Amino acid sequence: MQKKYLTIYDDLVNKIQANTWPVSTLLPSENELTIQYNTSRETIRKALNLLSQNGYIQKVRGKGSIVIDIHKFSFPVSGIESYTELAEKLQLKSITVVHQLGYLDANHEIAKILAMTPDERTWNVVRVREISGEKIILDKDYFTERNVPLLSLEVCEKSIYDHIENNLGLEIGFAQKEIVVEEPTEEDRELLDLEGFSNIVVIRSQVYLQDANLFQYTESRHRPDKFRFIDFARRVKN
């Protein structure tokens, strides 16, 4: 016999898929569901946790369980693609706003990550990505001046990688990436639509040219309800 929380989960999934609760609307409260299904609050919580794990809802502190689009944007982990390339591939209605553009102080910690000497310059650009009217990605990119001279606002609003490859003639080789979940910073909350969200997905990358020259450090900060990060793995036997 199927456990009761699984039966409730199946019923809730069917109702979400039937648009009983459209995307971005709230499910009934735990108390309401407890009465509706004549069960305990713990059973309802198990069903809701399963909905959250499988991408049907996002639990938002102080609000409840919000129905989210099961068709999340799929961002590859292993590849190196610009946001512009991904947005075109996924057919996103996207706007990029440049929040900050300029040189860093020579003692900035990122200059150390990029192994800059005291007489070399590092510059950065901070861009907010708005998709379907919501500000949900904050991209912070840092470049070595010796490889990529400071770019114009116009270029940064479009595709930096397109400029690097087609105008500067550089060949981007590979990247080392780290994915973590963190609490939002004050900057995240100021620039992104994060009301009710208590965490953010951060991808930090060190990007190298084909000649193994480190030229970029990037930090891409994503609201967690809109994305899933995918990879392809192949088992290799010893």
Side-chain angles (χ1 to χ4, degrees), residues 8-219:
I8 295 171
Y9 164 80
D10 289 340
D11 189 55
L12 292 172
V13 167
N14 289 335
K15 288 179 178 177
I16 290 173
Q17 291 177 340
N19 217 34
T20 301
W21 301 294
V23 172
S24 299
T25 62
L26 284 168
L27 287 185
S29 68
E30 288 184 3
N31 284 337
E32 290 171 325
L33 291 172
T34 296
I35 296 170
Q36 180 178 331
Y37 288 101
N38 190 28
T39 189
S40 68
R41 195 161 183 171
E42 181 62 28
T43 298
I44 293 299
R45 283 178 177 168
K46 286 183 179 180
L48 293 177
N49 285 338
L50 196 54
L51 283 176
S52 178
Q53 290 169 18
N54 290 331
Y56 288 98
I57 63 171
Q58 172 73 25
K59 292 185 176 182
V60 179
R61 186 171 52 200
K63 286 189 175 183
S65 299
I66 296 178
V67 178
I68 60 178
D69 189 350
I70 190 62
H71 304 294
K72 293 185 177 184
F73 307 131
S74 297
F75 274 34
V77 174
S78 57
I80 303 177
E81 290 185 89
S82 70
Y83 174 81
T84 300
E85 291 168 335
L86 287 169
E88 289 177 356
K89 180 187 296 184
L90 298 173
Q91 298 183 324
L92 305 180
K93 295 180 179 179
S94 173
I95 297 173
T96 292
V97 177
V98 177
H99 176 70
Q100 179 180 320
L101 177 63
Y103 289 103
L104 299 181
D105 183 87
N107 295 320
H108 196 285
E109 61 179 353
I110 300 298
K112 297 176 183 176
I113 292 175
L114 291 171
M116 305 295 285
T117 62
D119 60 333
E120 292 180 316
R121 304 184 78 179
T122 307
W123 63 274
N124 82 309
V125 57
V126 178
R127 294 174 288 179
V128 177
R129 315 293 195 174
E130 182 178 313
I131 300 175
S132 299
E134 292 187 286
K135 299 168 185 172
I136 54 179
I137 304 175
L138 179 62
D139 279 336
K140 304 169 71 172
D141 294 285
Y142 305 83
F143 295 92
T144 58
E145 174 83 351
R146 66 174 178 267
N147 295 119
V148 183
L150 181 66
L151 300 178
S152 68
L153 180 66
E154 182 181 8
V155 170
C156 292
E157 287 175 339
K158 296 178 181 178
S159 174
I160 293 178
Y161 274 17
D162 179 72
H163 177 82
I164 288 173
E165 293 176 322
N166 296 315
N167 295 333
L168 299 182
L170 299 176
E171 189 175 356
I172 298 169
F174 60 95
Q176 295 176 334
K177 296 186 180 184
E178 172 191 51
I179 301 178
V180 295
V181 177
E182 298 178 347
E183 292 185 4
T185 64
E186 289 184 12
E187 182 182 44
D188 294 330
R189 296 210 175 273
E190 176 189 350
L191 299 179
L192 300 179
D193 295 327
L194 292 179
E195 182 181 356
F197 289 89
S198 58
N199 53 48
I200 195 162
V201 178
V202 183
I203 303 178
R204 295 187 176 94
S205 305
Q206 295 183 41
V207 190
Y208 296 78
L209 296 175
Q210 195 64 42
D211 62 4
N213 187 3
L214 175 63
F215 79 100
Q216 177 191 10
Y217 175 84
T218 183
E219 188 171 290

